[in-house]
Amino acid sequence: MAYKIAVFPGSFDPVTYGHLDIINRGLRIFDTVIVAVAGNAAKKNLFTIDERLDLIRTVTGNDRVQVCTFDGLLIDFVSEKGASVIIRGLRAVSDFEYEFQIAQMNSCLNSSVETLFMMTSVQYVYLSSSIVKEVCSLNGAIDNFVPPEVKSALRKKYNLS
Ligand code: ADP
């Protein structure tokens, strides 16, 4: 069977247990999962690209996971990497409409690349990088949501000890 590569794109600002769950489940289906940190996102991010890449590398540490950044169209990056699948996580119904729109557009741009949606694991259904940042900035406990290295990096950003 052909070697299968999937790309898991996102902001990862910062990486959470929700992202790691999707990566680990992706590794059951694909030989390699490329975690692709969007470089040109319009969003205002807390962590720089390099900080986000470093955090993902620290908490994944599997030689079947590659971590890199991309600029420009995701679909072009996917082709350049020789991948045939884009993985996206789905949480609440609210994710659906936006994700459906992007998947349709990507399919129009390159129909040989498939988008695969993975349902979130139930314990992560309300977990997002934004909510973790908000809780941490208010000095709340985030141990159930991010690995210790990510927690330390977040607390440092918010000048918490
Ligand atoms: P983006 O700005 O592209 O949405 P994110 O870093 O927020 O970037 O998300 C990247 C991917 O990870 C998306 O497919 C998102 O649905 C998925 N994801 C984020 N949090 C979770 C979670 N708790 N459970 C499942 N998937 C998640």
Side-chain angles (χ1 to χ4, degrees), residues 8-12 18-19 22 43 88-89 91 95 120 124 127:
F8 179 40
S11 314
F12 304 98
H19 295 124
I22 299 289
K43 284 189 196 170
R88 294 287 289 175
R91 285 161 293 186
D95 280 346
T120 181
Y124 302 130
L127 177 53

Side-chain angles (χ1 to χ4, degrees), residues 13-14 21 32 43 49 62 74 79 86-87 90-91 103 108 110 112 121-122 125 136 143 146 148 156 161:
D13 187 46
D21 177 56
T32 293
K43 284 189 196 170
I49 292 276
N62 181 320
L74 171 64
S79 305
I86 296 168
I87 303 178
L90 274 186
R91 285 161 293 186
C108 287
N110 183 345
S112 64
S121 293
V122 72
V125 71
C136 186
D143 308 69
V146 294
K156 211 166 149 195
S161 55

Side-chain angles (χ1 to χ4, degrees), residues 80-133:
E80 276 161 31
K81 289 288 177 183
S84 50
V85 173
I86 296 168
I87 303 178
R88 294 287 289 175
L90 274 186
R91 285 161 293 186
V93 182
S94 51
D95 280 346
F96 183 83
E97 196 167 336
Y98 174 74
E99 292 294 342
F100 188 62
Q101 200 180 359
I102 301 288
Q104 286 298 326
M105 178 52 79
N106 281 332
S107 164
C108 287
L109 293 172
N110 183 345
S111 60
S112 64
V113 173
E114 202 61 61
T115 301
L116 175 77
F117 292 102
M118 298 186 80
M119 300 301 290
T120 181
S121 293
V122 72
Q123 67 270 38
Y124 302 130
V125 71
Y126 295 114
L127 177 53
S128 66
S129 300
S130 323
I131 202 147
V132 171
K133 283 183 278 191

Side-chain angles (χ1 to χ4, degrees), residues 21-32:
D21 177 56
I22 299 289
I23 294 169
N24 288 328
R25 288 162 56 201
L27 287 172
R28 291 192 205 141
I29 308 172
F30 300 98
D31 298 298
T32 293

